[in-house]
């Protein structure tokens, strides 16, 4: 399975979370549009259709990538 680079996933997760908080605190059309764009991108990258599932899958992919690059030694 092809996955996005962990730094891209991390950036998109942070962007979606920040925009979600900003939208909840100070609703605006610009913030809503930016969140929609970031959500769409994260969903496409993770093969999902909803933000909560996209965030879950992205976090799993980041953990998996970290484990591949830094495996635990016995």
């Amino acid at each position: 399975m092809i996955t996005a680079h962990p730094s891209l996933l991390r950036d998109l997760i942070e962007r979606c979370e920040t925009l979600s908080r900003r939208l909840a605190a100070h609703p605006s059309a610009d913030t809503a549009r930016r969140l929609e764009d970031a959500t769409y991108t994260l969903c496409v990258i993770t093969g999902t259709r909803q933000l909560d599932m996209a965030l879950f899958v992205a976090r799993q992919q980041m953990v998996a990538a970290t484990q591949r690059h830094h495996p635990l030694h016995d």
Side-chain angles (χ1 to χ4, degrees):
M1 175 169 75
I2 298 173
T3 59
H5 193 275
S7 63
L8 175 61
L9 293 170
R10 185 173 26 263
D11 178 58
L12 286 168
I13 290 169
E14 289 174 7
R15 189 177 316 160
C16 287
E17 290 174 340
T18 298
L19 290 168
S20 291
R21 286 190 301 272
R22 187 177 300 156
L23 188 61
H26 306 287
S28 76
D30 180 60
T31 301
R33 181 191 54 76
R34 291 174 62 204
L35 176 58
E36 191 175 299
D37 289 347
T39 297
Y40 175 81
T41 302
L42 188 60
C43 284
V44 168
I45 287 174
T46 59
T48 60
R49 292 179 176 236
Q50 295 179 337
L51 179 57
D52 58 344
M53 184 55 73
L55 290 167
F56 176 77
V57 170
R59 288 183 182 111
Q60 283 188 322
Q61 290 178 0
M62 285 179 50
V63 168
T66 300
Q67 289 174 345
R68 278 193 306 273
H69 295 318
H70 304 288
L72 296 176
H73 298 285
D74 292 329

